[in-house]
Structures are given as C-alpha cells and as structure tokens.
C-alpha cells in the first residue's frame, strides 16, 4: 500500500493578532516510526502539530503530502489533548468515523467490536461516552482515530493527565499501531515516554524548530545548549 | 425516537373533513352574543344542508370583509354604512330581517337619574350633565355608531367629553365587563345584556324609545365584484332568513322569558 | 376566588363528560399547533444549526434579525398574514383566510424565529465542543449539521417545545387570521377570549385549565417518548 508520506513543510508560519506563534518552519517527515515533539510550554508544539494536520490556518508557507490534499485529509487522524467525546455511546463514538465514510454495516460492526476489545471497553459499549473516566476517554479517542487505519496519526500530549496504568495502555496501543505501519507524530512533556517511544525527535523553542535528530543521538548527545538545558530541567529564556 | 414522534404527530394533525356546503357570513358581536345564532344555524343546516360559518366582528370590520370578498354575506345593523356599501357596488341589495333594541345600562343607584328620563335623548343629556363614568364601545361597531348618533341628536359631542367618557375599543361583552368593573353607564343591545354573565352592580335603567330600535339587514356580497363568493348559497340563506321557519324561530326566541327580536322581513 | 373554584369545577365536568365541543376545540388547537410545530421545526432546526456552524458574510446580521423576529408581536404577524391572505391581498386566490391553514401559517411565522434562536444558542455550544474533531475527521457541511442535530436532539426538543408552548397559547394572531369561527377555526385560546367577552368566567377558566393541561401533557409525553428510546441504549 502506498502512503501519503512524506510530509513536507516549507516556510510554514502561523501568526495570530500580529504575534508569531510558529515558524518559519521547514521540515520533512517520512519513513516509519514515531516522531516525538518536545519543548517548553507555549513553544508551539500544538500549533506545529495542528499545522501538519491541516487544521491550523497558515499565515505563510505550505504543507504537502505525496498525494492530493483531499486524499491526504482522509488518511490521517488526530487525537486532541483533551479527548473530544461525541454525546453518544462508546460504540457509536467508534462507529462514527466509519459511518462518515459510508462503510458497509457488517464491516463497521466487525471493526467496532474488534476495537472495543482492544481497548477493553466491551462492557461499556452502550454507555454514554461522556461518562467514561479520563483514561478510558483517551483510549477511546485513540481507538476512534485508529479505526480508519490512517497512514499518519497525530497525538497532542495523549497522556498529559493520566496515571501510570492508563499511560501504559495508551503506549501499548501506539506500539501496535507502529507494528501495523502507522506513522505517528506526537507531542509530550514526559521525557521518559519520549525516550521509550521515539524513533526520532523535534525540539521546539519560541515557535521554531530548534533541533531535530534520530532518537538515540537526540537524547544521547543533544547538540544545542538549549536542548541540553531542557533535559537538565533548567528554565530556558 | 423521531419516527415514533412523527407517527404520533401525523395521527394528530390529520385534518377534520368537512362534507356539507359551507359559506362564510360576517355578523356583529351583538348578534352572536344574543345566542340567536345557536338556534338559527342548526335549523339552517337541517333545512338547507348548509354550514354557515360566522365571523363575529364589529360592523366596521364586517363591511370591510364584504368589500374584500373574504365573506359571502354580512348581517349587520347600521343602515347608513350598509347603504354606502351598496352604492359602492360591494353588495347586491339590502334585505331587512328583524330588529331588536338598545338599552341603557348603568349603576343600580343611577346617579344621573336616567330611569326617569322622558326619552333616549333626554337620558343622554342627563348623563352629559352629571358626567358619571360612561363606557363607549369605541370600535366603529353598529352599537358604537348608534351611540354616536344618539349623542349627536342630543346636541352633544363625545369628542369634547372629559375623562369620564371612556372609549374601550372592544366588543360588547368586553365593554360590559369594563362597565361592570367601573360601575359605569353603557349603551348595549338588549340581547348582549340579558346574556351577560358578569352584571355586577349594573342594572337596566332605560329602554323602550323607538329611537333605540336596531334594524338588522342581510347583504349578499356582489359576485360581479368577487367571482369566487358563493352567491348561490347566500341567496338560499336569504330566502330562508326571510321565510316562515326563520320568523317563527326569531319571534319565539327568549332569554329569561323576554323576547329579543321582532321578525320584520317583507316577502318579495 | 369563587370564579377560580367554579372554573375548576366546570373544567372537571367538561373533561369527565368528554364534552363534544371541548373535544373538538382541543383537537383543533392540537392540530393547528402541532402542524405549525412540525413545519417550523423543519425550517428552524437546520437553520439554527447552520447559523451556528457556518461563517458567511451576513451571519451576524442574520442572527440579529432572527433575535429581533423572536420579539415580533403576534398581533402584528396576524394582521400581516391577514392582509396577505385576504381575497383582496396578493395570496387571496388561495382562499386561505379564516381557515386552520391560515392559523398554521401565522403560528409558523411566530414560532420559527424562537425555535431557530434557541437552536442556534444550543448548537453553538455543541459546535464549540465538536469543532476540532469534526474538522479533523474531514466532515462535509451536511455531515456536520446532521451530527450536531442528532447529538443535540434533546436541546432541540426543548427548543421545539418552547415553540409549541408559544404557539398553542397564542391568541392575537390566530384570532385575526382564523376568525374564531365556531366548528371551523375556534381553538382553545380564542374560545377563552370569547367566553371572557361574554362574562362567562367559569367556562373561560375551564377552557384555560384544559389548555394548560394540554400544554403540560404534550411536554411530558414527548419527553417520555424520547426517554424510552434512550433507556434502551444505555
Ligand atoms: N489563537 C491564538 N491566538 C493567539 N495566541 C495563541 C493562539 N493559539 C495559541 N496561542 C499561543 O501560541 C503559543 C504556542 O501555543 P502552543 O502551540 O499551544 O504551545 P505548546 O503546545 O507548545 O504549549 C502560546 O503562547 C499560546 O498562548
Ligand atoms: Mg500544547
């Protein structure tokens, strides 16, 4: 199966009310694996992720995929920092992205049941999704994003408010997705998680890509002073 | 959920079919309030198979409805206005059916002393002098026009009256309610007064002067002006209203033992 | 006080004896207001939702107009519909004046802005919640509207019921365009006005109690219908 990758960002900038939130950014993401985006709060991680996904209005530059924009839009998914639950049952939340595509009923049920089992929410299938716990909601959101088998999955701090067990459950889902050749790009402020999952990494600072590299090199021998300081936990001006 | 609600709605909104012939007639509030319609309409339905739908309005609006062609006939009691209606070609002709009379109502204590008046004009002059609270329909109805005419004959003009003269701009019943609330004098048709359920401290103080007689006439809307009107039905109705069955029912109609209407249609 | 007691007693008797006139008038009230409700909802729910999610040039203006229309005095609506439907008016050939259809038209005009406005408020909140997800899932405009209407259906039900309450309790407009014709266009509210005019307060009150009971009854039964559905799914 062909993929929509590589993703190419050229001269991308986002400005709001005269303030530069992002860029200019030039970046290419291809191949397989999981890209981690780290950086201090407000450094533009979320903005970068949204710009990649195409849901942030760009002030300059372009985001391109190897296929048409229309096709690329269908083959990527995004998990928001605070999971957005449709006011429907858990099963209907999973069903929704497939329904939008007009998938056949039998196929939809099969995949919904499969994913309910994978995220351990079979018992809760008919519960209103808004009543789930935080960890369950995030699992459901990840499953809902993966159910269309996207080429690329974006996640914005998926484990920000979760305990250890819930974090492990999410990471397990992501590992399976990686095994199934889904390209993942995610932000996190959990450096342990970053080291566990990353195949390569991006360090954001003041809305700019400050340093990139393969995971081993990036975490082992950071080149810039700022990234070293960030790893030490220092406050970066 | 949605199909179920729709099913319930559909069941409820199914129209109510009408089978008999229908025509619309504008009548005055005072006629409707008399209760005579409740006697006449079933008899008309029985004899002619005709459903007469009554629009109960003031004379002014009744004439407007006829002019616009929104009704097939009108039954009103304001001769001058009726004749103007005919002159302008909105009706085919005017046919007198019956009359009843107006009465002067007021607080039982009668501070203006109209009960001893020698005529209707005298009664109004006494009110004009004593200036007790007086309620006027003020709605351009037949009753209102009659009241204005009587004031004029008495040599008085309501436009110059003080705050004691209140134009309420309402139907007979609502005006009587107001008069009861204010303990005021009012000119009413006898039928509305007898049928009125909220008399309070009011009493009938003066009646009987022929100047207070109130002639009802039937006017069919001119089909040359409004081709869609059911003139055929209006003619049937006119014939019935001027016939023997109507005469018997109209003359025989009483409230609390009092006759209200005198049938006076001339056969053609 | 006595009047209210008499009203309650006569209301009771009218209902237990299934008074034929009362039944007919009540059914007509329901027929007119439910028809108006269905038509107004079909217009107002998608319109209110559309206004909540779509940005276009005159959106703010449209919303202001809608809110202003919500305050339209019913008598004025009645008068305008009357003039339009009168035989001498532009739609006179249809012969609709003084028919239940005319009353439905007037009620639709009165309640559509109300339902659309409440819908807009509710949908704006829901849209703020769903916005990012629905954009991310690359939904079409129509899919967005459908999703919001479906997931916000309980709010929409409330909006519709508010419209129904306003419709069935309205008297000014339908008195003018319906004419309060016995056996043809007389409904509960116009009958109440008529009986009050005759000074028959007991009957007027009895009709008033029936009207209130009807309005509450419809509210409860619609909520009940929608609840049985939800319990099945939870
Ligand atoms: N719509 C907006 N208007 C103005 N400022 C914004 C807007 N959205 C985000 N920002 C600002 O942009 C900066 C970058 O935000 P974000 O990308 O969320 O950072 P991060 O995810 O790295 O914490 C922050 O300072 C934030 O306050
Ligand atoms: Mg962020």
């Amino acid at each position: 199966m062909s993929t929509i990758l590589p993703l190419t960002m050229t001269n991308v900038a986002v400005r709001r009310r005269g303030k530069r939130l992002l860029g200019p950014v030039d970046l290419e993401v291809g191949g397989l694996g999981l890209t981690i985006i780290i950086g201090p709060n407000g450094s533009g991680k979320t903005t970068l992720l949204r710009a990649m996904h195409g849901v942030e209005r760009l002030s300059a530059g372009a985001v391109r995929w190897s296929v048409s924009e229309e096709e690329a839009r269908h083959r990527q998914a995004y998990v928001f920092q605070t999971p957005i639950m449709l006011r429907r049952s858990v099963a209907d939340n999973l069903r929704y992205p497939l329904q939008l595509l007009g998938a056949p009923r039998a196929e939809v049920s099969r995949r919904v049941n499969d994913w309910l089992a994978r995220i351990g929410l079979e018992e809760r299938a008919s519960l209103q999704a808004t009543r789930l716990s935080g960890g369950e909601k995030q699992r459901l959101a990840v499953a809902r994003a993966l159910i269309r088998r996207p080429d690329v999955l974006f996640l914005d701090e998926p484990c920000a408010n979760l305990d250890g067990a819930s974090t492990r459950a999410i990471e397990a889902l992501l590992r399976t997705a990686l095994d199934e050749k889904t390209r993942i790009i995610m932000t996190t402020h959990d450096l342990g998680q970053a080291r566990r999952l990353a195949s390569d990494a991006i360090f954001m600072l003041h809305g700019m890509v400050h340093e990139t590299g393969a995971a081993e090199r990036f975490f082992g021998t950071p080149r810039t002073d700022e990234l070293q300081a960030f790893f030490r936990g220092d406050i970066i001006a | 959920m949605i199909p179920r609600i729709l099913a319930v709605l559909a069941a409820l909104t199914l129209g109510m079919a009408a089978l008999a012939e229908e025509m619309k007639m504008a009548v005055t509030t005072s006629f409707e309030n008399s209760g005579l319609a409740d006697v006449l309409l079933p008899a008309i339905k029985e004899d002619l198979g005709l459903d007469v739908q009554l629009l109960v309005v003031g004379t002014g609006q009744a004439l407007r409805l006829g002019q616009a062609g929104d009704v097939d006939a009108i039954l009103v009691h304001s001769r001058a206005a009726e004749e103007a209606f005919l002159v302008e070609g909105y009706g085919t002709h005017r046919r007198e059916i019956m009359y009843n009379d107006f009465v002067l109502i007021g607080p039982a204590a009668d501070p203006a002393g109209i009960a001893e008046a020698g005529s209707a004009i005298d009664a109004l002059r006494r009110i004009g002098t004593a200036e007790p609270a007086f309620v006027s329909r003020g709605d351009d109805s037949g009753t209102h026009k009659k009241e204005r005419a009587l004031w004029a004959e008495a040599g008085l003009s309501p436009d110059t009256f003080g705050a004691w003269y209140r134009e309420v701009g309402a139907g007979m019943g609502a005006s009587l309610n107001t008069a009861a609330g204010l303990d005021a004098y009012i000119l009413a048709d006898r039928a509305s007064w007898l049928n009125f359920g909220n008399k309070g401290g009011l009493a009938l103080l003066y009646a009987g002067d022929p100047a207070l007689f109130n002639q009802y006439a039937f006017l069919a809307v001119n089909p040359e002006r409004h081709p869609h009107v059911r003139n055929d039905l209006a003619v049937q109705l006119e014939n019935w209203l001027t016939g023997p069955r109507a005469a018997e029912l109209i003359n025989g109609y009483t409230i609390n033992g009092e006759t209200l209407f005198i049938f006076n249609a001339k056969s053609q | 006080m006595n009047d209210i007691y008499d009203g309650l007693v006569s209301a009771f008797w009218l209902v237990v004896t299934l008074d034929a006139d009362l039944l007919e008038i009540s059914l007509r009230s329901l027929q007119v207001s439910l028809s108006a409700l269905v038509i107004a909802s079909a217009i107002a729910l998608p319109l209110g939702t559309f206004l909540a999610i779509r940005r276009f040039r005159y959106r703010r203006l449209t919303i202001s107009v809608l809110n202003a229309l919500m305050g339209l005095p019913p008598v004025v609506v009645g008068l305008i519909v009357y003039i339009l439907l009168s035989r001498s008016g532009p739609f006179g050939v249809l012969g609709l004046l003084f028919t239940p259809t005319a009353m439905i038209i007037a009620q639709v005009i009165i309640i559509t802005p109300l339902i659309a406005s409440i819908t807009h408020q509710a949908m704006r909140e829901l849209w703020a919640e769903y916005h990012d997800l629905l954009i991310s899932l690359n939904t079409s405009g129509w899919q967005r509207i459908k999703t919001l209407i479906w997931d916000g259906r309980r709010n929409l039900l409330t909006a519709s019921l508010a419209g129904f309450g306003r419709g069935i309790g309205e008297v000014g407009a339908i008195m003018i365009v319906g004419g309060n014709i016995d056996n043809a266009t007389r409904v509960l509210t116009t009958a109440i006005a008529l009986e009050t005019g005759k000074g028959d307060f007991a009957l007027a009150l009895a009709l008033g109690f029936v009207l209130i009971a009807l309005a509450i009854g419809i509210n409860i039964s619609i909520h009940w219908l929608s609840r049985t559905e939800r319990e099945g799914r939870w």
Side-chain angles (χ1 to χ4, degrees), chain A residues 45-47 81 156-157 187:
Chain A
K45 302 183 293 293
T46 299
T47 311
Q81 181 163 354
D156 193 5
E157 308 207 18
T187 69

Side-chain angles (χ1 to χ4, degrees), chain C residues 43-65:
Chain C
I43 301 168
L45 300 183
L47 174 67
T49 308
F50 180 82
L51 287 176
I53 70 172
R54 250 329 224 292
R55 325 240 130 219
F56 54 93
R57 198 131 180 247
Y58 297 111
R59 179 166 162 275
R60 288 234 59 82
L61 181 74
T62 312
I63 292 169
S64 307
V65 169

Side-chain angles (χ1 to χ4, degrees), chain B residues 146-235:
Chain B
K146 182 78 186 176
E147 184 211 312
R148 303 276 305 195
L150 288 170
W151 284 119
E153 275 182 64
L156 297 168
S157 164
D159 300 333
T160 63
F161 291 164
W164 59 273
Y165 183 82
R166 300 178 194 225
E167 293 197 34
V168 293
M172 198 67 252
S175 301
L176 279 167
N177 272 333
T178 310
L182 295 172
D183 236 4
Y185 286 85
I186 183 169
L187 180 74
D189 63 281
R190 187 184 291 271
S192 297
W193 166 249
L194 287 175
N195 264 327
F196 185 61
N198 177 39
K199 294 191 168 76
L202 298 182
L204 193 163
L205 297 175
Y206 182 87
D209 185 337
L212 292 176
F213 286 180
N214 182 30
Q215 179 67 49
Y216 280 87
F218 178 91
L219 295 90
V221 172
N222 190 349
E224 284 167 26
R225 263 264 153 89
H226 295 290
H228 63 266
V229 298
R230 297 298 306 266
N231 187 254
D232 54 332
L233 301 179
V235 168

Side-chain angles (χ1 to χ4, degrees), chain C residues 3-234:
Chain C
D3 280 332
I4 292 185
Y5 176 75
D6 289 348
L8 272 171
V9 172
S10 18
F12 177 77
W13 282 114
L14 284 175
V15 171
V16 294
T17 57
L18 273 179
D19 182 83
D21 282 342
L22 176 74
L23 201 64
E24 190 198 315
I25 292 177
S26 307
L27 279 177
R28 190 173 300 112
S29 268
L30 279 179
Q31 182 205 348
V32 167
S33 296
L34 287 177
S35 308
L37 176 67
V38 169
I39 297 168
S41 296
I43 301 168
L45 300 183
L47 174 67
T49 308
F50 180 82
L51 287 176
I53 70 172
R54 250 329 224 292
R55 325 240 130 219
F56 54 93
R57 198 131 180 247
Y58 297 111
R59 179 166 162 275
R60 288 234 59 82
L61 181 74
T62 312
I63 292 169
S64 307
V65 169
L66 200 63
N67 288 335
L69 287 180
M70 202 166 45
L72 268 187
V75 253
V76 179
V77 174
L79 185 59
I80 292 168
V81 172
Y82 177 108
I83 292 168
L84 293 177
L85 294 185
S86 165
R87 287 289 186 174
S88 51
F91 301 104
V93 286
L94 301 175
L96 289 177
L97 191 61
F98 304 136
T99 63
T101 309
M103 300 156 81
I104 293 171
I105 293 172
Q107 290 205 347
V108 166
I109 296 174
I110 292 167
I111 68 177
T112 299
L114 177 73
I115 300 178
S117 191
I118 300 180
T119 300
H120 171 242
Q121 303 282 349
M123 290 296 106
R124 207 171 46 179
E125 275 173 38
L126 191 60
W127 176 234
E129 197 178 312
Y130 279 14
H131 175 272
D132 284 353
L133 178 66
L134 297 194
I135 299 283
S136 165
L137 286 172
N138 205 21
T139 46
S140 68
W142 180 234
Q143 285 174 330
R144 287 172 201 174
I145 292 186
K146 272 200 308 197
T147 303
L148 290 178
I149 289 186
W150 179 250
D151 285 1
R153 59 194 184 278
R154 290 173 69 193
N155 295 330
L156 300 185
L157 200 61
T158 310
S160 291
L161 287 177
F164 176 75
R166 179 159 170 165
I168 198 164
E170 198 280 322
V171 60
I174 54 172
M175 180 71 101
I176 296 176
V177 302
N180 193 22
I181 302 173
D182 198 10
N183 296 321
T185 58
R186 184 161 301 164
V187 293
L188 282 167
T189 51
T190 57
I192 291 171
L194 179 70
E195 296 307 330
T196 308
K198 288 186 187 164
D200 192 344
F201 294 154
L203 183 53
L205 262 173
L207 292 167
F209 289 130
V210 172
L211 176 62
I212 293 171
L214 255 184
I216 294 176
I218 288 284
N219 264 277
I220 291 175
S221 45
I222 291 189
H223 271 299
W224 177 78
L225 278 172
S226 63
R227 172 142 318 124
T228 47
E229 174 249 4
R230 249 176 303 124
E231 273 164 5
R233 288 165 143 256
W234 280 19

Side-chain angles (χ1 to χ4, degrees), chain A residues 164-221:
Chain A
S166 295
T167 302
R168 274 194 298 282
I170 298 285
E171 287 183 11
L173 285 173
L174 298 185
R175 288 217 169 80
T176 317
L178 285 172
D179 292 344
E180 291 169 2
K181 309 277 187 286
T182 302
R183 186 71 173 86
I184 298 178
I185 305 174
M186 68 181 266
T187 69
T188 184
H189 62 242
D190 176 349
L191 289 177
Q193 179 174 61
R195 287 197 170 89
R196 282 196 297 278
L197 296 175
S199 48
D200 57 276
I202 297 171
F203 177 54
M204 292 295 295
L205 191 62
H206 306 315
M208 309 276 280
V209 174
H210 199 75
E211 183 171 342
T212 62
E216 209 166 314
R217 204 281 301 151
F218 186 91
F219 292 107
T221 53

